[in-house]
C-alpha cells in the first residue's frame, strides 16, 4: 500500500551460452518472476548441409541458422554424393565420391556422365553387318571410349573344315 506507483521492474536473465540465442519474446513484461530469455538455436539441417555450432555463440538476438553447405567441388572423375553429408554432422564433409572405374564387358566408361551421378557405363557399338559377329573381348568394360565390337567372321577354312 502506498501513495504512488513504485516501479518494481527488473531485467530478465539473458546470460545465454553457446548453442543458444537471446529471445526477448520469452520475457514480454507481463510475468511476475524472472524468465530466462535463452532459447536453443536450430540444429536441424537438410542433406547436403552440416551444423556449424560456432555460429550460435549465445550473444545473438535471433535464431541463427547453423546450417552450412557441405563442400562439393568435385573433379571430373567424381560426383556429388549427398549421402556423405546427411545434415547431422558438426564439421564440413566433402561430398565427392569417385566414379566407377570399370563396367561390364560390352560397355565403356563415359566419365562425362559421372558428374551427374548417372552410371558412366555405356553400351559399346554393335552395328555389325553381314560377315561380322559381336566380340565382347573388343570392349572389356575398362575402356574410356566407344569401341565397335564387330569382328570379321572367318571366311577361309583349312582342309577338312567348312564355313
Amino acid at each position: 500500500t502506498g501513495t504512488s506507483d513504485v516501479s518494481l521492474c527488473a531485467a530478465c536473465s539473458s546470460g545465454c551460452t553457446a548453442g543458444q540465442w537471446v529471445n526477448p519474446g520469452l520475457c514480454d513484461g507481463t510475468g511476475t518472476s524472472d524468465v530466462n530469455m535463452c532459447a536453443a538455436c536450430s540444429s536441424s539441417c537438410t542433406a547436403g548441409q552440416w551444423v556449424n555450432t560456432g555460429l550460435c555463440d549465445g550473444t545473438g538476438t535471433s535464431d541463427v541458422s547453423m546450417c552450412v553447405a557441405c563442400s562439393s567441388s568435385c573433379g571430373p572423375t567424381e560426383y556429388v554424393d549427398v549421402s556423405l553429408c546427411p545434415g547431422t554432422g558438426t564439421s564440413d564433409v566433402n561430398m565427392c565420391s569417385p566414379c566407377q572405374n570399370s563396367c561390364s564387358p560390352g560397355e565403356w566408361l563415359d566419365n562425362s556422365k559421372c558428374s551427374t551421378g548417372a552410371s558412366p557405363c555405356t553400351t559399346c557399338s554393335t552395328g555389325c553387318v553381314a560377315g561380322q559377329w559381336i566380340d565382347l573381348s573388343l570392349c572389356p568394360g575398362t575402356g574410356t571410349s566407344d569401341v565397335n565390337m564387330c569382328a570379321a567372321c572367318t571366311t577361309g577354312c583349312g582342309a577338312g573344315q567348312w564355313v
Side-chain angles (χ1 to χ4, degrees):
T1 63
T3 57
S4 64
D5 186 13
V6 177
S7 175
L8 299 175
C9 298
C12 292
S13 299
S14 63
C16 301
T17 60
Q20 296 179 322
W21 62 284
V22 180
N23 184 349
L26 295 177
C27 183
D28 63 7
T30 60
T32 58
S33 62
D34 189 11
V35 175
N36 187 322
M37 295 189 300
C38 300
C41 294
S42 298
S43 62
S44 176
C45 299
T46 60
Q49 298 178 325
W50 62 282
V51 181
N52 185 344
T53 56
L55 295 177
C56 186
D57 62 6
T59 62
T61 56
S62 63
D63 188 5
V64 177
S65 172
M66 298 191 305
C67 300
V68 180
C70 292
S71 299
S72 61
S73 296
C74 301
T77 59
E78 297 176 315
Y79 69 98
V80 176
D81 183 356
V82 178
S83 70
L84 297 175
C85 183
T88 56
T90 56
S91 62
D92 192 9
V93 174
N94 188 326
M95 296 187 296
C96 299
S97 283
C99 297
Q100 276 179 242
N101 60 10
S102 66
C103 297
S104 299
E107 297 177 324
W108 63 281
L109 286 163
D110 183 355
N111 284 326
S112 68
K113 291 182 179 179
C114 177
S115 62
T116 65
S119 172
C121 296
T122 305
T123 303
C124 292
S125 297
T126 59
C128 301
V129 295
Q132 294 180 323
W133 63 284
I134 297 173
D135 183 356
L136 288 179
S137 70
L138 296 174
C139 185
T142 56
T144 56
S145 61
D146 193 9
V147 175
N148 189 315
M149 296 187 296
C150 299
C153 295
T154 302
T155 57
C157 299
Q161 297 176 325
W162 63 279
V163 177

